[in-house]
Amino acid sequence: MAAPTAISASVSVDAGGALARIPATGVGMNVAVYDGNMNHPDIPGLLKDAGTGMVRYPGGGYADGYHWQTHTVEGGYVAPNTEFDTFMGTVRAAGAQPIITANYGSGTPEEAAAWVRYANVTKGYGAKYWEIGNEVYGNGLYGATWETDHHASKSATTYATNLVQYATAMKAVDPSIKIGAVLTTPGAWPDGITGAGDPMDWNHTVLSIAGSKIDFVIVHHYPIGNSQADLLGKPQAEIPNMAATLRSLINQYAGTNASNVGIAVTEANANAYKDTSPNGLFAPDEYLTWMENGAFTVDWWNLHNGTDCTHVTTVEGATDYDDGGILSSGASCEPPLNTPFAPYYGTRMITTLGAPGDTLVRTAGSTSTVSAHAVRRANGDLSVMLINKDPVNAATVTLSYTGFSPSAATPTVYSYLKNATSIGSATTGSATRQTVPAYSIVVVQLHR
């Protein structure tokens, strides 16, 4: 076998080319009421260390069967110690905000309004973000049924009409809350299909009716990677077009309020390699590319997801348990409960790149093998993240800058290496040249 050889890449950073500010809610996480460990004492610290600013509750499709007052799910299991107040204790201890999915499928506007009243009037939690339903388009309208929906009509027209009723009832309790509408992900099924009883496809129908009444739109992103390299190219290949389509729809239907309507990606994860190095590289690329394209939150699915241990494989020399959680659920085949998987460390690397309020700026690279993200910090310093997607070869990266003159001092470099179980740091390389090991992430922190 030939010895690995370094690949060459160049990355230019435009420090004046602002894309977006890092939102306080940018790095998000899902939790589910079937997870008895979602409020484990270790969780607030793990969330805080990963820079988590948003936590979604009560959990995906469970939300459309969940009744908050009785803490029950129609046809589902609710674990002990997962009720709303306990969840809020964890969120507050982590320094994060909640995003709550109100029950559209089996609930009512009155039930949702009562939840707003309890959360924000009775308890004073200040829960700002509220989704109306989960993946409502999965209610059978397009022939696939996974989402609970007891309404006689499953059409997008019905959802949008009811959505307006939810928004009206909930904002009558607390006018400061933000209401989100479920959309289909642009370019993914069933986007573009017109369902029975609707004049247009889901997104156009929903926004034509409710666009002036909402504060954000909601999509989920689970890219289908047919190989490791294919998965790792998905953030750049898919997200810019998806985000542009959403912004165009918002501008078309939200009227004078369009500039205030946000984009929330309330579920995201890979479809494979879930616990190992490819997903460790994918995670920060996914988060940051969505943020660069205007999303105010990207919520990873899931904190703990679990596994039945029947699809354990080896990926790049590490064990993959087919567990969609970012932390181990403690299953019999897994490491101890709350052991971080690779995407946790990849996500945590974002905290070395920048903080909420810092500015994401433009980068350009010579090869898709090396992704780059850059942040201009509030004090004028600059940080650059380099992700080497080559599983074998190190990358020698030449860096150049517009609108920023780096200090000649050797920079501090943070690194998450292939199959590592921690993040390292060193003073190494220079502002204009860095070596990024195979399948690793480095963040170069630069001073003026």
Side-chain angles (χ1 to χ4, degrees):
M1 179 181 292
T5 56
I7 59 175
S8 296
S10 61
V11 169
S12 60
V13 179
D14 180 1
L19 296 171
R21 290 193 184 276
I22 297 177
T25 53
V27 175
M29 186 63 56
N30 273 272
V31 297
V33 292
Y34 57 73
D35 173 18
N37 293 305
M38 62 177 271
N39 296 305
H40 186 281
D42 292 345
I43 296 303
L46 286 162
L47 291 175
K48 184 177 291 187
D49 288 347
T52 307
M54 182 80 93
V55 187
R56 183 177 183 240
Y57 177 95
Y62 258 49
D64 280 314
Y66 179 72
H67 299 285
W68 73 272
Q69 289 158 316
T70 57
H71 190 50
T72 58
V73 170
E74 296 185 21
Y77 167 74
V78 173
N81 302 313
T82 59
E83 67 278 358
F84 178 60
D85 286 320
T86 308
F87 159 75
M88 281 304 307
T90 296
V91 171
R92 296 176 109 182
Q97 297 182 51
I99 183 166
I100 300 166
T101 310
N103 182 344
Y104 173 80
S106 62
T108 64
E110 292 73 26
E111 180 184 39
W115 199 351
V116 174
R117 182 176 294 106
Y118 179 77
N120 292 353
V121 179
T122 303
K123 302 295 289 192
Y125 289 143
K128 182 177 181 180
Y129 296 98
W130 297 78
E131 300 177 86
I132 310 305
N134 181 54
E135 295 170 352
V136 184
Y137 49 82
N139 60 5
L141 176 64
Y142 301 104
T145 305
W146 68 83
E147 199 72 19
T148 299
D149 186 354
H150 294 337
H151 296 89
S153 167
K154 306 297 192 287
S155 70
T157 299
T158 298
Y159 170 69
T161 302
N162 289 329
L163 168 63
V164 172
Q165 294 176 10
Y166 271 76
T168 300
M170 295 164 75
K171 287 194 172 187
V173 175
D174 182 353
S176 71
I177 65 171
K178 304 293 186 182
I179 298 292
V182 173
L183 298 187
T184 61
T185 304
W189 184 93
D191 183 45
I193 302 173
T194 299
D198 291 327
M200 298 175 285
D201 67 4
W202 182 278
N203 289 354
H204 285 85
T205 300
V206 169
L207 290 178
S208 69
I209 296 168
S212 64
K213 305 295 184 182
I214 62 169
D215 303 289
F216 61 99
V217 299
I218 301 153
V219 294
H220 294 169
H221 191 218
Y222 293 97
I224 305 299
N226 297 315
S227 66
Q228 293 171 204
D230 187 36
L231 171 68
L232 293 178
K234 292 298 184 182
Q236 287 73 36
E238 295 186 352
I239 292 170
N241 287 338
M242 288 176 175
T245 298
L246 292 169
R247 183 50 59 190
S248 177
L249 286 164
I250 292 166
N251 289 340
Q252 182 177 355
Y253 291 112
T256 57
N257 192 46
S259 62
N260 298 319
V261 176
I263 297 172
V265 185
T266 59
E267 291 184 21
N269 202 334
N271 71 310
Y273 327 115
K274 298 172 185 175
D275 313 309
T276 43
S277 52
N279 211 12
L281 304 183
F282 170 79
D285 223 6
E286 175 80 357
Y287 275 112
L288 290 166
T289 305
W290 271 114
M291 282 189 256
E292 288 163 351
N293 284 275
F296 71 85
T297 191
V298 182
D299 306 329
W300 195 260
W301 184 273
N302 199 5
L303 181 69
H304 303 109
N305 204 58
T307 177
D308 62 8
C309 297
T310 62
H311 296 94
V312 178
T313 56
T314 300
V315 178
E316 294 297 332
T319 304
D320 195 286
Y321 306 96
D322 193 37
D323 185 335
I326 206 165
L327 303 175
S328 168
S329 64
S332 60
C333 59
E334 290 187 340
L337 175 68
N338 292 331
T339 299
F341 292 134
Y344 176 87
Y345 293 110
T347 302
R348 188 171 174 177
M349 283 293 287
I350 297 171
T351 67
T352 68
L353 179 69
D358 291 344
T359 303
L360 290 154
V361 298
R362 296 185 186 280
T363 65
S366 62
T367 172
S368 60
T369 303
V370 176
S371 285
H373 303 277
V375 165
R376 187 179 70 241
R377 293 179 175 265
N379 65 358
D381 288 346
L382 195 72
S383 295
V384 183
M385 176 182 284
L386 303 169
I387 304 172
N388 181 2
K389 302 174 184 179
D390 190 310
V392 177
N393 301 302
T396 300
V397 181
T398 301
L399 293 151
S400 61
Y401 308 92
T402 301
F404 180 78
S405 297
S407 164
T410 303
T412 299
V413 177
Y414 289 85
S415 60
Y416 176 59
L417 304 180
K418 182 177 178 180
N419 298 336
T421 56
S422 63
I423 291 171
S425 65
T427 305
T428 187
S430 70
T432 57
R433 186 178 177 88
Q434 288 288 330
T435 298
V436 186
Y439 250 38
S440 72
I441 308 165
V442 304
V443 170
V444 186
Q445 295 185 345
L446 300 163
H447 302 293
R448 292 176 294 175

